[in-house]
Each structure stands twice: as structure tokens, then as C-alpha cells.
Amino acid sequence: MNRTDFGDDFLWGVATAAAQIEGAANIGGKGPTIWDTFSKRPTKIRKGHKPDEACDFYHRYQGDIALVKTLGFKVFRFSIAWARIFPLGTGMPNKEGIAFYHRIIDECLRQDILPMITLYHWDLPEALSQLGGWTAFGINASFNEYVLFCAKEYGDKVKHWIVINEPFGFTSLGYMLGIHAPGASGVGNFFDAALHTAIAQADGAKILRAEVGQAVIGTAFSCSEIIPYTQSVQDHLAAKRMDTLMNRFFVEPVLGMGFPTADWDVLEKFAISHSTWRHQQRMTFDFDFIGLQNYFPLVVKYNAFIPVIQAWEVKARSRKVPHTAMGWEINADSFYRIIKQFAAYPSIRNIMITENGAAFHDKLVGHQVKDQERIEYFEKYLQAILRAKQEGINVTGYLAWTLMDNFEWAEGYQARFGLVYNDFKTQQRTIKESGYWWQKFLSK
Ligand code: NOJ
């Protein structure tokens, strides 16, 4: 397998997110975000870690963008912290925050790296959360104001945009399960947040289309192949419900299909109470690319005790299959199959893998991190993409998660996903063996 097998136009990059790398939580006029607040609550984040300093990318961005270049990538995906632009989420913009992202973009362009902006990667301004966050009707107006501002400010220099990162990820973890910020729970909160997010992803795209000439607009969905644990009808139905929720729920409204309600009465009730025909129109947008982010398949079995979904995950560890340090199953065939599942929607024109990667128990020994498992992981997952491409599926790019070890949300700094090792005490960066593997792969 060679880089050239993927075609000359294939975009190779790394993906990052503001809250995970920037640090400088209280610097440069930034307002607090839900992650700043959430991390102050005891027990919410492993070992009490906080995003306050993260990788200090805020001050070290030049060197970090140089690392992107050194590794041979063309694309640097980063997100804008909404609260750096609007500290209170809306109203008065913050000059220092605005200037910071100009510096990032200019540095990318200077180093001949293509900047790709994610507008929302989970760090909602705390002030908006106080008003109900994504569950509140008013969130859409604030989001649109923020998107319009960014489009006008950066649209001359940046053409590649991702509106929202993993809508299912943050609405489920943050508003249904309480595991992520803002720590809300309950099905009602989830459905409210989901509707407003589905509207935001299309609204945001329409604003970009109107404001940014030659924009290449995408949005990024998490996806996981759902596999029934046994051949029983109950397990199959449980898997189907899980698939509807995790894979279909946010993409189908974008494609003009509305929420996928037909197969599940709970969703039908939600749709009747929440979304109208007008919403259906508003949630639709013809994206230039659909971003897919895959980390694991999910094996599920029926469980009557789990409210609403009545399905339960059978963990990779208990099935004794290969898995990462997160306990996520390593299964490149499943990656191939989920790409095919999304490519089967006739209106998806092309797919970009906007995140994929793995955490392992990396150790810095001397100046080396020997992460052979990660190299093997990438080799297998890239083969899966190639296979899909050779079958005619239009995959246009791959962004590895992630440039360097960073703040992995509720897992704190323990989970290391980087191609570059970060020592969080000294902020010393060390390229891992997998980073050198990429360098070699991309140089051929
Ligand atoms: C997806 C999220 O977008 C990213 O922020 C996170 O770090 C990775 N998954 C790994 O969990």
C-alpha cells in the first residue's frame, strides 16, 4: 500500500480540537466554556484533570504546525473555541480571540498547510449553557450569529469547513448520559438538544455557503457498525434501534429524509412532538462532503432493564477481542462496512474520514515512543479505505486523530491518541514511531 494508491487529490491530514489542545483557558479574553465548568466538578474527569493548560497550543502553535509539516500532512483541522470569539456566546466579540485564529490560519498558509476549521467541537460558552445550552430554543440564533461572524472574518483565507463535530457524541454523552459537559441527563434533554443540533448543522452550512466563496463544506458524524450479539430476534431489534440512534439519527435529516422514525415508536413520538415539516426543510443541506469518524464497532444485546433503547453493549474486553487502551475493539473490516453503509445513501456524494485513530499505553523511553500497535492499526484502517475506494466509493481524504496527546475529555490526559507524545509537565513534544511511519508513508 502506497500513498499514491489513494490518488493525487486525496487529502491527508491531522485533526485536533480547541478544548483538547489550546489551554490558555483564562487567557486572551476567552470566556469560560462548559468544559471549564464541568472539569471543576469532582469525579467528573479522570484524576481530576482540567483542560486549563492542555498542550498550551495557544502559545506553541507555530511549533505544532511545523510538526504537521514535518510529518508530511497537508491538512490541519482545528476548531474555533466559540468562547474566544464571543466570551459570552453572543454580543461583544473579543479582539484577542479573533486575532489568535488569524495567527493560526496565517501560520498554516505560511507553511503551506491547508487549514480546515471545525466550528463546533463541544466547547459551548458557559454563558449559553446557563440559558439551557443545546436544549434551549435560543441556541440556534446564537450559533448562527457565531457562524456568520467566523465566515465573514476567516472566509477569505479558509475554504474548508466542518460545521459540527459528532452531533451524536456530544448530545448523547453531554445531555443524555451526563458523562460529558454540561453533565445533563435524560431522554427529554437529549431530544431537545438533538433537534437544535440538527438545525444548527444545516443552518451553519447555509450561512457558510452564502458568505464564503468556493467553500468546501462538510460536517462530521461519528459512526459505528452495530453488530447483534446473537442471532436472536431480540438482539437484532436491539441492534437496529442502536443503529438508528447512533448512525442514522443526524445524517438522515441532512439528506432531506427527516429523523428516522419509521422503525421505532419512541422516535416516532419524539418526531411528532418535536419536529415539523418546516424543521425537515430547515435541517436539509447538500454538503460538499460528509465527514465520518470511526473508532469502534458496537456489539449489542437486548436488555429490558435499559430505559428506552433496551439494548446493552457487550464490551470488547469481555469478548476478548483486540482492543485499544480505551477498550475499543480494533476491527478494520467493520470500518470498511460502516463506510459502505453511509456510502449507500444515494445523496451522499463523497466521504471524508475526518477522524480515526487509537489510544495505547505509550511510554516515553529515552527519546523514543515505540508504538508499533498504532502503526499496525493505521495500516489496517488505511487498507480498509483503499478497499472501499477500489469498489468505487468516493473517499476523498483521511485525517488522523490526532496530532499530539491531548485532553481526552472525561478521560483527562491519560488516554494518548497522538502521533506525537506530549509530556504535560514540560510540554515537550516527541514524535512517536507512528509519526515517523506517517512521515515515511506520505513521502513516497
Ligand atoms: C471523537 C472526538 O471528536 C474527539 O474529540 C475525541 O478525542 C476522539 N473521538 C477520541 O475519543
Side-chain angles (χ1 to χ4, degrees):
M1 178 181 58
N2 280 312
R3 178 186 59 87
T4 48
D5 298 335
F6 292 78
D8 288 343
D9 298 337
F10 196 82
L11 286 178
W12 296 99
V14 284
T16 64
Q20 296 182 270
I21 62 170
E22 282 181 7
N26 307 309
I27 293 175
K30 172 180 158 291
T33 75
I34 52 174
W35 278 93
D36 296 321
T37 316
F38 189 67
S39 63
K40 294 196 175 75
R41 285 168 61 180
T43 74
K44 285 295 179 189
I45 299 193
R46 197 178 283 261
K47 297 195 171 160
H49 288 165
K50 301 201 168 29
D52 299 21
E53 193 182 324
C55 304
D56 194 31
F57 176 79
Y58 187 81
H59 297 109
R60 295 165 196 266
Y61 67 91
Q62 280 178 311
D64 290 336
I65 294 168
L67 278 169
V68 178
K69 183 88 187 165
T70 303
L71 298 184
F73 291 100
K74 176 73 190 165
V75 179
F76 180 55
R77 175 185 167 198
F78 62 96
S79 75
I80 294 183
W82 185 343
R84 263 193 213 291
I85 305 293
F86 291 109
L88 297 177
T90 165
M92 274 291 280
N94 166 37
K95 279 201 187 113
E96 271 185 84
I98 299 164
F100 170 63
Y101 294 107
H102 274 298
R103 291 201 293 278
I104 305 293
I105 295 163
D106 293 344
E107 188 60 27
C108 285
L109 298 175
R110 198 180 68 76
Q111 298 201 36
D112 195 26
I113 297 284
L114 192 84
M116 186 184 285
I117 290 182
T118 312
L119 282 161
Y120 186 74
H121 202 129
W122 303 1
D123 46 354
L124 189 71
E126 175 59 32
L128 293 178
S129 197
Q130 294 298 320
L131 304 174
W134 285 100
T135 65
F137 172 71
I139 191 73
N140 287 110
S142 307
F143 183 71
N144 291 354
E145 177 189 341
Y146 159 66
V147 175
L148 181 64
F149 187 91
C150 292
K152 282 188 191 294
E153 187 69 37
Y154 305 119
D156 285 347
K157 297 193 273 193
V158 178
K159 299 300 168 190
H160 290 76
W161 297 78
I162 289 175
V163 182
I164 289 189
N165 181 72
E166 293 196 356
F168 180 73
F170 77 87
T171 53
S172 63
L173 296 169
Y175 289 92
M176 181 158 55
L177 302 172
I179 301 171
H180 275 196
S185 52
V187 179
N189 279 328
F190 168 72
F191 281 138
D192 288 344
L195 175 68
H196 300 134
T197 303
I199 290 172
Q201 72 189 354
D203 274 7
K206 287 168 195 170
I207 293 169
L208 289 168
R209 180 66 82 230
E211 294 296 325
V212 180
Q214 286 125 40
V216 183
I217 308 166
T219 199
F221 300 107
S222 52
C223 60
S224 282
E225 185 196 13
I226 310 293
I227 305 166
Y229 185 55
T230 71
Q231 290 309 316
S232 75
V233 174
Q234 284 187 321
D235 282 359
H236 269 273
L237 290 175
K240 194 164 184 182
R241 287 192 295 276
M242 197 65 105
D243 180 52
T244 308
L245 195 61
M246 290 183 68
N247 295 316
R248 300 174 51 199
F249 195 75
F250 286 95
V251 72
E252 293 193 4
V254 159
L255 303 176
M257 301 162 73
F259 287 109
T261 54
D263 297 330
W264 188 8
D265 54 348
V266 171
L267 289 188
E268 204 165 15
K269 277 191 209 134
F270 148 73
I272 290 167
S273 62
H274 279 68
S275 72
T276 64
W277 176 84
R278 267 188 327 110
H279 287 139
Q280 195 155 321
Q281 295 280 307
R282 189 167 164 191
M283 293 185 300
T284 306
F285 184 76
D286 185 16
F287 277 96
D288 298 317
F289 67 92
I290 291 294
L292 291 187
Q293 321 202 140
N294 175 259
Y295 288 91
F296 48 80
L298 219 67
V299 173
V300 302
K301 71 194 266 194
Y302 172 70
N303 185 330
F305 296 106
I306 308 296
V308 191
I309 183 103
Q310 298 200 306
W312 186 247
E313 181 193 353
V314 188
K315 300 263 188 209
R317 281 196 182 100
S318 70
R319 288 182 286 117
K320 301 200 173 16
V321 293
H323 54 266
T324 69
M326 300 287 281
W328 295 348
E329 179 175 346
I330 301 173
N331 186 339
D333 289 337
S334 158
F335 180 43
Y336 158 81
R337 286 192 294 267
I338 196 70
I339 294 174
K340 285 197 77 160
Q341 181 176 327
F342 274 74
Y345 289 108
S347 43
I348 292 191
R349 286 186 274 138
N350 67 68
I351 287 171
M352 189 185 304
I353 306 303
T354 41
E355 275 187 32
N356 170 246
F360 292 105
H361 298 290
D362 299 325
K363 292 267 170 312
L364 178 67
V365 181
H367 296 290
Q368 278 186 322
V369 179
K370 294 196 168 158
D371 57 339
Q372 187 57 30
E373 289 167 294
R374 189 174 282 105
I375 295 174
E376 284 163 21
Y377 178 97
F378 283 126
E379 279 174 338
K380 287 194 204 119
Y381 276 68
L382 292 184
Q383 289 281 2
I385 297 178
L386 204 51
R387 186 169 155 209
K389 270 180 86 72
Q390 282 160 355
E391 286 174 23
I393 295 175
N394 193 8
V395 186
T396 56
Y398 179 91
L399 312 182
W401 186 267
T402 181
L403 174 62
M404 58 193 157
D405 300 335
N406 60 33
F407 177 72
E408 175 58 25
W409 310 113
E411 297 300 317
Y413 295 102
Q414 192 150 308
R416 294 182 174 272
F417 277 87
L419 304 179
V420 174
Y421 184 94
N422 193 36
D423 179 330
F424 292 99
K425 290 202 185 80
T426 60
Q427 297 294 356
Q428 174 85 36
R429 322 284 201 235
T430 306
I431 299 177
K432 300 180 191 176
E433 292 292 306
S434 59
Y436 289 115
W437 178 87
W438 272 104
Q439 189 182 52
K440 200 164 154 210
F441 177 76
L442 293 172
S443 71
K444 283 193 197 146

PDB file of all heavy atoms in Angstrom, residues 17 20 77 121-122 165-166 293 295 326 328 355 401 406-409 417, ligand 1:
ATOM      1  N   ALA A  17      -8.827  19.579  18.271  1.00  0.00           N
ATOM      2  CA  ALA A  17      -9.963  20.398  18.731  1.00  0.00           C
ATOM      3  C   ALA A  17      -9.475  21.377  19.792  1.00  0.00           C
ATOM      4  O   ALA A  17      -8.615  21.036  20.614  1.00  0.00           O
ATOM      5  CB  ALA A  17     -11.054  19.511  19.315  1.00  0.00           C
ATOM      6  N   GLN A  20      -9.172  20.588  23.512  1.00  0.00           N
ATOM      7  CA  GLN A  20      -8.258  19.493  23.804  1.00  0.00           C
ATOM      8  C   GLN A  20      -6.786  19.897  23.727  1.00  0.00           C
ATOM      9  O   GLN A  20      -5.937  19.211  24.279  1.00  0.00           O
ATOM     10  CB  GLN A  20      -8.542  18.324  22.856  1.00  0.00           C
ATOM     11  CG  GLN A  20      -9.931  17.737  23.079  1.00  0.00           C
ATOM     12  CD  GLN A  20     -10.226  16.546  22.185  1.00  0.00           C
ATOM     13  OE1 GLN A  20     -10.739  16.719  21.090  1.00  0.00           O
ATOM     14  NE2 GLN A  20      -9.897  15.360  22.633  1.00  0.00           N
ATOM     15  N   ARG A  77      -6.638  20.229  10.669  1.00  0.00           N
ATOM     16  CA  ARG A  77      -8.006  20.504  11.122  1.00  0.00           C
ATOM     17  C   ARG A  77      -7.951  20.954  12.575  1.00  0.00           C
ATOM     18  O   ARG A  77      -7.390  20.257  13.421  1.00  0.00           O
ATOM     19  CB  ARG A  77      -8.869  19.238  10.990  1.00  0.00           C
ATOM     20  CG  ARG A  77     -10.261  19.418  11.548  1.00  0.00           C
ATOM     21  CD  ARG A  77     -11.093  18.134  11.532  1.00  0.00           C
ATOM     22  NE  ARG A  77     -12.275  18.348  12.356  1.00  0.00           N
ATOM     23  CZ  ARG A  77     -13.047  17.391  12.852  1.00  0.00           C
ATOM     24  NH1 ARG A  77     -12.769  16.115  12.612  1.00  0.00           N
ATOM     25  NH2 ARG A  77     -14.084  17.686  13.596  1.00  0.00           N
ATOM     26  N   HIS A 121     -16.747  22.110  18.225  1.00  0.00           N
ATOM     27  CA  HIS A 121     -16.199  20.847  18.721  1.00  0.00           C
ATOM     28  C   HIS A 121     -16.374  20.827  20.245  1.00  0.00           C
ATOM     29  O   HIS A 121     -15.397  20.819  20.991  1.00  0.00           O
ATOM     30  CB  HIS A 121     -14.738  20.673  18.288  1.00  0.00           C
ATOM     31  CG  HIS A 121     -14.267  19.250  18.298  1.00  0.00           C
ATOM     32  ND1 HIS A 121     -13.626  18.651  17.221  1.00  0.00           N
ATOM     33  CD2 HIS A 121     -14.342  18.286  19.239  1.00  0.00           C
ATOM     34  CE1 HIS A 121     -13.331  17.387  17.516  1.00  0.00           C
ATOM     35  NE2 HIS A 121     -13.755  17.148  18.746  1.00  0.00           N
ATOM     36  N   TRP A 122     -17.623  20.932  20.674  1.00  0.00           N
ATOM     37  CA  TRP A 122     -18.076  20.575  22.016  1.00  0.00           C
ATOM     38  C   TRP A 122     -17.859  21.591  23.128  1.00  0.00           C
ATOM     39  O   TRP A 122     -18.288  21.370  24.254  1.00  0.00           O
ATOM     40  CB  TRP A 122     -17.456  19.236  22.458  1.00  0.00           C
ATOM     41  CG  TRP A 122     -17.744  18.098  21.540  1.00  0.00           C
ATOM     42  CD1 TRP A 122     -18.461  18.130  20.373  1.00  0.00           C
ATOM     43  CD2 TRP A 122     -17.337  16.728  21.707  1.00  0.00           C
ATOM     44  NE1 TRP A 122     -18.525  16.868  19.816  1.00  0.00           N
ATOM     45  CE2 TRP A 122     -17.844  15.998  20.612  1.00  0.00           C
ATOM     46  CE3 TRP A 122     -16.603  16.066  22.681  1.00  0.00           C
ATOM     47  CZ2 TRP A 122     -17.624  14.621  20.459  1.00  0.00           C
ATOM     48  CZ3 TRP A 122     -16.383  14.702  22.539  1.00  0.00           C
ATOM     49  CH2 TRP A 122     -16.889  13.988  21.430  1.00  0.00           C
ATOM     50  N   ASN A 165     -18.948  18.892  15.028  1.00  0.00           N
ATOM     51  CA  ASN A 165     -18.256  17.634  15.252  1.00  0.00           C
ATOM     52  C   ASN A 165     -19.125  16.668  16.059  1.00  0.00           C
ATOM     53  O   ASN A 165     -19.506  16.968  17.190  1.00  0.00           O
ATOM     54  CB  ASN A 165     -16.954  17.888  16.025  1.00  0.00           C
ATOM     55  CG  ASN A 165     -16.205  16.594  16.258  1.00  0.00           C
ATOM     56  OD1 ASN A 165     -15.643  16.018  15.330  1.00  0.00           O
ATOM     57  ND2 ASN A 165     -16.217  16.096  17.483  1.00  0.00           N
ATOM     58  N   GLU A 166     -19.398  15.533  15.474  1.00  0.00           N
ATOM     59  CA  GLU A 166     -20.102  14.430  16.135  1.00  0.00           C
ATOM     60  C   GLU A 166     -21.333  14.866  16.923  1.00  0.00           C
ATOM     61  O   GLU A 166     -21.341  14.830  18.169  1.00  0.00           O
ATOM     62  CB  GLU A 166     -19.140  13.652  17.052  1.00  0.00           C
ATOM     63  CG  GLU A 166     -18.065  12.923  16.289  1.00  0.00           C
ATOM     64  CD  GLU A 166     -17.366  11.849  17.133  1.00  0.00           C
ATOM     65  OE1 GLU A 166     -17.661  11.718  18.334  1.00  0.00           O
ATOM     66  OE2 GLU A 166     -16.520  11.126  16.572  1.00  0.00           O
ATOM     67  N   GLN A 293     -16.324   9.621  11.249  1.00  0.00           N
ATOM     68  CA  GLN A 293     -15.322   9.392  12.289  1.00  0.00           C
ATOM     69  C   GLN A 293     -15.641   8.047  12.920  1.00  0.00           C
ATOM     70  O   GLN A 293     -16.738   7.852  13.424  1.00  0.00           O
ATOM     71  CB  GLN A 293     -15.371  10.513  13.317  1.00  0.00           C
ATOM     72  CG  GLN A 293     -15.599  11.866  12.639  1.00  0.00           C
ATOM     73  CD  GLN A 293     -15.183  13.083  13.392  1.00  0.00           C
ATOM     74  OE1 GLN A 293     -14.655  13.996  12.765  1.00  0.00           O
ATOM     75  NE2 GLN A 293     -15.366  13.150  14.682  1.00  0.00           N
ATOM     76  N   TYR A 295     -14.292   4.807  15.400  1.00  0.00           N
ATOM     77  CA  TYR A 295     -13.324   4.313  16.388  1.00  0.00           C
ATOM     78  C   TYR A 295     -13.558   2.863  16.789  1.00  0.00           C
ATOM     79  O   TYR A 295     -12.642   2.200  17.236  1.00  0.00           O
ATOM     80  CB  TYR A 295     -13.352   5.198  17.641  1.00  0.00           C
ATOM     81  CG  TYR A 295     -12.726   6.550  17.395  1.00  0.00           C
ATOM     82  CD1 TYR A 295     -13.487   7.631  16.969  1.00  0.00           C
ATOM     83  CD2 TYR A 295     -11.351   6.733  17.537  1.00  0.00           C
ATOM     84  CE1 TYR A 295     -12.911   8.869  16.711  1.00  0.00           C
ATOM     85  CE2 TYR A 295     -10.769   7.960  17.290  1.00  0.00           C
ATOM     86  CZ  TYR A 295     -11.551   9.027  16.876  1.00  0.00           C
ATOM     87  OH  TYR A 295     -10.972  10.242  16.616  1.00  0.00           O
ATOM     88  N   MET A 326      -8.521   2.350  25.303  1.00  0.00           N
ATOM     89  CA  MET A 326      -9.862   2.808  25.686  1.00  0.00           C
ATOM     90  C   MET A 326     -10.821   1.628  25.830  1.00  0.00           C
ATOM     91  O   MET A 326     -11.994   1.824  26.166  1.00  0.00           O
ATOM     92  CB  MET A 326     -10.439   3.748  24.615  1.00  0.00           C
ATOM     93  CG  MET A 326      -9.643   5.002  24.351  1.00  0.00           C
ATOM     94  SD  MET A 326      -9.777   6.227  25.664  1.00  0.00           S
ATOM     95  CE  MET A 326     -11.365   6.975  25.300  1.00  0.00           C
ATOM     96  N   TRP A 328     -11.671  -0.087  23.167  1.00  0.00           N
ATOM     97  CA  TRP A 328     -12.427  -0.054  21.913  1.00  0.00           C
ATOM     98  C   TRP A 328     -11.905  -1.131  20.965  1.00  0.00           C
ATOM     99  O   TRP A 328     -10.685  -1.232  20.735  1.00  0.00           O
ATOM    100  CB  TRP A 328     -12.292   1.324  21.248  1.00  0.00           C
ATOM    101  CG  TRP A 328     -12.911   2.429  22.066  1.00  0.00           C
ATOM    102  CD1 TRP A 328     -13.731   2.299  23.162  1.00  0.00           C
ATOM    103  CD2 TRP A 328     -12.747   3.841  21.862  1.00  0.00           C
ATOM    104  NE1 TRP A 328     -14.093   3.537  23.628  1.00  0.00           N
ATOM    105  CE2 TRP A 328     -13.517   4.493  22.869  1.00  0.00           C
ATOM    106  CE3 TRP A 328     -12.053   4.615  20.933  1.00  0.00           C
ATOM    107  CZ2 TRP A 328     -13.585   5.888  22.958  1.00  0.00           C
ATOM    108  CZ3 TRP A 328     -12.119   5.990  21.025  1.00  0.00           C
ATOM    109  CH2 TRP A 328     -12.880   6.629  22.026  1.00  0.00           C
ATOM    110  N   GLU A 355     -11.871  11.834  11.165  1.00  0.00           N
ATOM    111  CA  GLU A 355     -11.142  11.376  12.366  1.00  0.00           C
ATOM    112  C   GLU A 355     -11.086   9.862  12.351  1.00  0.00           C
ATOM    113  O   GLU A 355     -12.064   9.212  11.977  1.00  0.00           O
ATOM    114  CB  GLU A 355     -11.871  11.743  13.668  1.00  0.00           C
ATOM    115  CG  GLU A 355     -11.632  13.104  14.219  1.00  0.00           C
ATOM    116  CD  GLU A 355     -12.275  13.277  15.605  1.00  0.00           C
ATOM    117  OE1 GLU A 355     -12.353  12.295  16.366  1.00  0.00           O
ATOM    118  OE2 GLU A 355     -12.698  14.402  15.890  1.00  0.00           O
ATOM    119  N   TRP A 401      -6.629  11.061  13.863  1.00  0.00           N
ATOM    120  CA  TRP A 401      -6.801  11.599  15.216  1.00  0.00           C
ATOM    121  C   TRP A 401      -5.685  11.006  16.051  1.00  0.00           C
ATOM    122  O   TRP A 401      -5.681   9.815  16.261  1.00  0.00           O
ATOM    123  CB  TRP A 401      -8.168  11.235  15.808  1.00  0.00           C
ATOM    124  CG  TRP A 401      -8.333  11.924  17.126  1.00  0.00           C
ATOM    125  CD1 TRP A 401      -8.029  11.416  18.357  1.00  0.00           C
ATOM    126  CD2 TRP A 401      -8.772  13.273  17.344  1.00  0.00           C
ATOM    127  NE1 TRP A 401      -8.248  12.367  19.330  1.00  0.00           N
ATOM    128  CE2 TRP A 401      -8.696  13.506  18.733  1.00  0.00           C
ATOM    129  CE3 TRP A 401      -9.194  14.308  16.496  1.00  0.00           C
ATOM    130  CZ2 TRP A 401      -9.046  14.733  19.300  1.00  0.00           C
ATOM    131  CZ3 TRP A 401      -9.541  15.515  17.071  1.00  0.00           C
ATOM    132  CH2 TRP A 401      -9.471  15.723  18.454  1.00  0.00           C
ATOM    133  N   ASN A 406      -3.438  14.702  24.058  1.00  0.00           N
ATOM    134  CA  ASN A 406      -4.128  15.915  24.497  1.00  0.00           C
ATOM    135  C   ASN A 406      -5.170  15.606  25.561  1.00  0.00           C
ATOM    136  O   ASN A 406      -5.202  14.505  26.100  1.00  0.00           O
ATOM    137  CB  ASN A 406      -4.742  16.629  23.273  1.00  0.00           C
ATOM    138  CG  ASN A 406      -5.737  15.746  22.542  1.00  0.00           C
ATOM    139  OD1 ASN A 406      -6.433  14.940  23.160  1.00  0.00           O
ATOM    140  ND2 ASN A 406      -5.804  15.880  21.231  1.00  0.00           N
ATOM    141  N   PHE A 407      -6.004  16.578  25.817  1.00  0.00           N
ATOM    142  CA  PHE A 407      -7.049  16.442  26.843  1.00  0.00           C
ATOM    143  C   PHE A 407      -8.203  15.633  26.253  1.00  0.00           C
ATOM    144  O   PHE A 407      -8.963  16.142  25.438  1.00  0.00           O
ATOM    145  CB  PHE A 407      -7.511  17.844  27.267  1.00  0.00           C
ATOM    146  CG  PHE A 407      -8.630  17.834  28.270  1.00  0.00           C
ATOM    147  CD1 PHE A 407      -8.407  17.447  29.582  1.00  0.00           C
ATOM    148  CD2 PHE A 407      -9.925  18.209  27.903  1.00  0.00           C
ATOM    149  CE1 PHE A 407      -9.447  17.433  30.517  1.00  0.00           C
ATOM    150  CE2 PHE A 407     -10.963  18.192  28.828  1.00  0.00           C
ATOM    151  CZ  PHE A 407     -10.714  17.804  30.133  1.00  0.00           C
ATOM    152  N   GLU A 408      -8.279  14.376  26.668  1.00  0.00           N
ATOM    153  CA  GLU A 408      -9.295  13.483  26.087  1.00  0.00           C
ATOM    154  C   GLU A 408     -10.574  13.528  26.939  1.00  0.00           C
ATOM    155  O   GLU A 408     -10.989  12.563  27.557  1.00  0.00           O
ATOM    156  CB  GLU A 408      -8.718  12.058  25.951  1.00  0.00           C
ATOM    157  CG  GLU A 408      -9.670  10.976  25.479  1.00  0.00           C
ATOM    158  CD  GLU A 408     -10.344  11.187  24.127  1.00  0.00           C
ATOM    159  OE1 GLU A 408      -9.795  11.919  23.278  1.00  0.00           O
ATOM    160  OE2 GLU A 408     -11.429  10.624  23.929  1.00  0.00           O
ATOM    161  N   TRP A 409     -11.174  14.700  27.022  1.00  0.00           N
ATOM    162  CA  TRP A 409     -12.483  14.881  27.651  1.00  0.00           C
ATOM    163  C   TRP A 409     -12.533  14.214  29.038  1.00  0.00           C
ATOM    164  O   TRP A 409     -11.638  14.432  29.837  1.00  0.00           O
ATOM    165  CB  TRP A 409     -13.589  14.388  26.710  1.00  0.00           C
ATOM    166  CG  TRP A 409     -13.460  14.958  25.318  1.00  0.00           C
ATOM    167  CD1 TRP A 409     -13.166  14.265  24.163  1.00  0.00           C
ATOM    168  CD2 TRP A 409     -13.568  16.345  24.900  1.00  0.00           C
ATOM    169  NE1 TRP A 409     -13.116  15.120  23.087  1.00  0.00           N
ATOM    170  CE2 TRP A 409     -13.359  16.389  23.493  1.00  0.00           C
ATOM    171  CE3 TRP A 409     -13.829  17.547  25.566  1.00  0.00           C
ATOM    172  CZ2 TRP A 409     -13.396  17.575  22.761  1.00  0.00           C
ATOM    173  CZ3 TRP A 409     -13.876  18.738  24.832  1.00  0.00           C
ATOM    174  CH2 TRP A 409     -13.660  18.735  23.464  1.00  0.00           C
ATOM    175  N   PHE A 417      -3.741   9.579  22.250  1.00  0.00           N
ATOM    176  CA  PHE A 417      -4.113   9.277  20.867  1.00  0.00           C
ATOM    177  C   PHE A 417      -3.105   9.847  19.859  1.00  0.00           C
ATOM    178  O   PHE A 417      -3.284   9.700  18.665  1.00  0.00           O
ATOM    179  CB  PHE A 417      -5.472   9.913  20.545  1.00  0.00           C
ATOM    180  CG  PHE A 417      -6.689   9.129  20.982  1.00  0.00           C
ATOM    181  CD1 PHE A 417      -7.222   9.277  22.253  1.00  0.00           C
ATOM    182  CD2 PHE A 417      -7.322   8.255  20.104  1.00  0.00           C
ATOM    183  CE1 PHE A 417      -8.367   8.577  22.643  1.00  0.00           C
ATOM    184  CE2 PHE A 417      -8.460   7.544  20.477  1.00  0.00           C
ATOM    185  CZ  PHE A 417      -8.981   7.713  21.746  1.00  0.00           C
TER     186      PHE A 417
HETATM  187  C1  NOJ B   1     -14.057  11.931  18.664  1.00  0.00           C
HETATM  188  C2  NOJ B   1     -13.973  13.356  19.125  1.00  0.00           C
HETATM  189  O1  NOJ B   1     -14.333  14.206  18.090  1.00  0.00           O
HETATM  190  C3  NOJ B   1     -12.585  13.720  19.642  1.00  0.00           C
HETATM  191  O2  NOJ B   1     -12.679  14.965  20.243  1.00  0.00           O
HETATM  192  C4  NOJ B   1     -12.089  12.646  20.576  1.00  0.00           C
HETATM  193  O3  NOJ B   1     -10.896  12.988  21.195  1.00  0.00           O
HETATM  194  C5  NOJ B   1     -11.947  11.361  19.797  1.00  0.00           C
HETATM  195  N1  NOJ B   1     -13.258  10.983  19.350  1.00  0.00           N
HETATM  196  C6  NOJ B   1     -11.352  10.213  20.598  1.00  0.00           C
HETATM  197  O4  NOJ B   1     -12.204   9.871  21.620  1.00  0.00           O
END
